Amino acid sequence: PSDEQLAIDATTGEATLAYGFASDDVFESQFVRVPINARECTGLIMDVEGDGSANNFFIILHDATGEQHLAFRAPLAWQGRQTIEVDLKPYLESPPDMQRLIVHWGGNENQRIDFPLTAIDIGVAKRSSRSKDDGQLRFSNVRFIE
């Protein structure tokens, strides 16, 4: 696999994450972690340019306790720019009866976002039904909304 590579266009602010995976079916992912300081918010919006690879695009949010929340995951089935909107409301309260969900791990394990958010991971994970082992993910205009 190629090394993770992130490039940011200084004019447009668009970031490009080039990725490469081995051709076997062992799990791999490549991502960029961006430090943030996001206060109370209920949503996340960003523009994402898909490469049609069918690998999984994902967004992981890190909260003040170090807990990580898988806020979004979808196959890169599209090519070209698309606006991704993530509703964070389900992440603002712990699950009923403290049911264990696989989209939260680490930190204080209360399975809800404890603000402020301190980092966001944006990346690609290999899928067995992928059409390509390598490609690039472009994203821009990352914003948190109330």
Side-chain angles (χ1 to χ4, degrees), residues 76-112:
L76 287 164
W78 73 94
Q79 290 188 323
R81 188 170 308 275
Q82 184 170 314
T83 299
I84 303 292
E85 297 183 32
V86 181
D87 180 5
L88 297 179
K89 290 182 199 113
Y91 296 84
L92 301 181
E93 293 185 23
S94 298
D97 304 321
M98 282 308 286
Q99 179 183 10
R100 298 300 300 167
L101 303 177
I102 61 170
V103 297
H104 312 278
W105 60 91
N108 66 3
E109 297 186 353
N110 67 358
Q111 301 190 82
R112 68 174 168 80

Side-chain angles (χ1 to χ4, degrees), residues 13-142:
E14 182 176 76
T16 301
L17 175 65
Y19 65 90
F21 301 130
S23 59
D24 59 17
D25 281 337
V26 173
F27 177 80
E28 291 179 76
S29 71
Q30 291 183 359
F31 64 92
V32 59
R33 179 167 294 158
V34 180
I36 59 173
N37 182 11
R39 300 282 170 201
E40 301 273 335
C41 59
T42 60
L44 163 66
I45 301 173
M46 73 172 62
D47 295 330
V48 177
E49 186 175 317
D51 63 5
S53 68
N55 286 301
N56 273 329
F57 164 62
F58 64 85
I59 300 169
I60 297 172
L61 301 173
H62 298 251
D63 74 14
T65 74
E67 189 168 5
Q68 297 178 46
H69 307 274
L70 178 61
F72 188 83
R73 183 182 68 195
L76 287 164
W78 73 94
Q79 290 188 323
R81 188 170 308 275
Q82 184 170 314
T83 299
I84 303 292
E85 297 183 32
V86 181
D87 180 5
L88 297 179
K89 290 182 199 113
Y91 296 84
L92 301 181
E93 293 185 23
S94 298
D97 304 321
M98 282 308 286
Q99 179 183 10
R100 298 300 300 167
L101 303 177
I102 61 170
V103 297
H104 312 278
W105 60 91
N108 66 3
E109 297 186 353
N110 67 358
Q111 301 190 82
R112 68 174 168 80
I113 293 175
D114 294 293
F115 291 98
L117 293 170
T118 60
I120 181 172
D121 296 343
I122 301 169
V124 180
K126 183 165 67 172
R127 283 184 72 215
S128 59
S129 59
R130 68 194 176 278
S131 61
K132 299 190 299 189
D133 291 328
D134 56 17
Q136 62 183 15
L137 174 71
R138 287 193 175 108
F139 59 94
S140 60
N141 298 322
V142 179

